[in-house]
Each structure stands twice: as C-alpha cells, then as structure tokens.
C-alpha cells in the first residue's frame, strides 16, 4: 500500500491526491483571477517523486518556462538560507509574483520570514500558495490560499483497503484510489 505516491507497473495499491489537476486549478486561479504572471516554485531534491512530478506538471500546464523560476531549497540549513536569499531577491525584482511551496514544510519555513521582512502582507502584491495537510498556515496568515490535502482521509481509506485485502486476498485487485484535495478560493 502506497500513500501519496505512485509506482508505475506495480502490484501495490495507491492512495493518492489529485496532484496535477488541483495544482493546475490553483495556478489558473492565480493567473486569471489575480493576474500573476510570474511563479517561483520552492522545491527540494524530491522533484523526482511521482506526486511532486505531477504538481510540477500542473504548474507547467498554466505557466510556461519563461514565467517559472525554480528555487531549490535543499535539505540543510545552509542551502535553505541560500534559497531564501534568492527568493527575497526574486521578489524584490518582480513583486507581482506567486510563490508556490511544493510541500507544507516550505510554507511553514518561508511564510513567517517573508511576513516579517514585509514582503508578504495585506498591502503587498506577492502571493503565496502550496500544499498543506493542516490549518497551521491559515493560523499564521489567514489570507494565504492553500491546496488542502486530507491525510487522515487517505489513512482511513488505506485502512479500509488493507482490511478488505486481508479478508479476501486477491492479488489482481490492486488499484489507484484518489482522495481529492481542495483549493481555498476567495
């Protein structure tokens, strides 16, 4: 059983989120409703994971390469500090920017710092979004529009599938089950 991951041509069931579609929908909202023509993607080396690939594909369906900048946050404190400096510089060059945190971790790390630096707030044109498993981001800043994942629902679904497989083992009954994410809009 795989949660929030997919491995092609395997005999494992996958419980996943609609990563590509929800990312595309969120990006369309920011491009069409908020007139954001530049996007900065904050990601780390997990860009090769199936779900992250799907999220990046969703972004690229809306924003072309000339509108997209990818900042690699790395895993260490030093690499994150370097990435944050690049992010601040990019925002100062083009404040009408959407920062897209590919994982909730980057929302939590970056949002308070940008707020403290005065780069994100009520009277600032820079916007931020990303994937979130909790309400923490909206506690930090209620104006941030996030893509909500439902990890407890995914876990519950996985438990039901596992119980079903234990009761009636059937090696041909592997499937992909999607637990849809949602996007906070105005």
């Amino acid at each position: 059983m795989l949660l929030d991951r997919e491995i092609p041509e395997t005999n494992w069931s996958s419980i996943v989120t609609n990563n590509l579609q929800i990312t595309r929908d969120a990006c369309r909202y920011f491009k069409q409703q908020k007139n954001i023509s530049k996007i900065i993607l904050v990601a780390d080396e997990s860009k090769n994971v199936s779900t992250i690939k799907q999220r990046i594909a969703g972004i690229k369906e809306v924003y072309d390469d000339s509108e997209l900048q990818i900042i690699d946050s790395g895993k260490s404190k030093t690499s994150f500090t370097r990435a944050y400096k690049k992010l601040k510089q990019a925002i100062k060059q083009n404040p009408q920017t959407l920062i897209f945190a590919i994982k909730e971790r980057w929302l939590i790390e970056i949002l308070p710092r940008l707020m403290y630096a005065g780069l994100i707030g009520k009277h600032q044109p820079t916007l931020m979004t990303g994937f979130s498993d909790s309400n923490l981001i909206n506690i930090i800043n209620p104006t941030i529009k996030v893509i909500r994942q439902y990890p407890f629902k995914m876990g519950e679904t996985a438990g039901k599938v596992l119980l079903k497989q234990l009761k009636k083992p059937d090696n041909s009954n592997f499937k992909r089950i999607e637990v849809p994410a949602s996007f906070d809009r105005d």
Side-chain angles (χ1 to χ4, degrees):
M1 175 72 54
L2 299 170
L3 284 176
D4 205 25
R5 297 287 182 269
E6 290 181 89
I7 300 175
E9 299 174 27
T10 185
N11 289 337
W12 297 59
S13 292
S14 296
I15 313 297
V16 296
T17 298
N18 53 335
N19 286 293
L20 186 138
Q21 178 249 322
I22 198 71
T23 302
R24 181 186 56 227
D25 291 352
C27 287
R28 281 185 183 152
Y29 166 82
F30 284 107
K31 192 165 195 173
Q32 295 169 357
Q33 303 295 318
K34 299 294 183 181
N35 298 314
I36 300 291
S37 60
K38 169 111 171 109
I39 184 167
I40 299 172
L41 173 63
V42 180
D44 58 25
E45 59 268 5
S46 65
K47 292 186 288 264
N48 291 323
V49 173
S50 61
T51 52
I52 304 301
K53 283 181 176 180
Q54 292 166 0
R55 293 172 187 180
I56 292 170
I59 291 169
K60 288 184 173 189
E61 283 190 19
V62 178
Y63 289 95
D64 64 40
D65 287 340
S66 68
E67 299 169 310
L68 171 63
Q69 178 180 354
I70 299 175
I71 294 181
D72 189 339
S73 55
K75 296 263 184 194
S76 71
K77 188 164 180 73
T78 305
S79 60
F80 175 76
T81 301
R82 213 175 9 253
Y84 178 69
K85 285 179 183 176
K86 282 183 190 175
L87 181 60
K88 278 178 43 176
Q89 183 181 17
I91 292 168
K92 288 177 182 177
Q93 288 174 350
N94 186 356
Q96 190 77 20
T97 296
L98 172 64
I99 302 162
F100 195 113
I102 209 80
K103 296 183 193 176
E104 184 175 42
R105 174 182 177 199
W106 304 125
L107 280 168
I108 293 168
E109 290 278 346
I110 294 168
L111 178 59
R113 290 182 172 134
L114 292 176
M115 290 171 58
Y116 183 77
L119 296 172
I120 285 187
K122 277 187 177 181
H123 305 291
Q124 299 301 327
T126 303
L127 300 176
M128 189 167 192
T129 194
F131 280 78
S132 181
D133 295 339
S134 69
N135 291 324
L136 185 58
I137 299 307
N138 293 117
I139 292 168
I140 295 169
N141 185 330
T143 66
I144 298 296
K145 307 290 180 212
V146 296
I147 297 170
R148 295 216 177 276
Q149 295 185 111
Y150 301 99
F152 296 108
K153 180 72 174 162
M154 291 174 86
E156 176 187 21
T157 303
K160 288 177 181 177
V161 169
L162 286 171
L163 279 174
K164 193 175 185 180
Q165 288 176 346
L166 287 171
K167 287 180 182 177
K168 187 178 175 190
D170 180 2
N171 291 340
S172 66
N173 195 18
F174 299 103
K175 52 186 160 181
R176 179 186 189 276
I177 301 170
E178 192 171 274
V179 176
S182 62
F183 175 62
D184 297 340
R185 297 175 187 266
D186 292 329

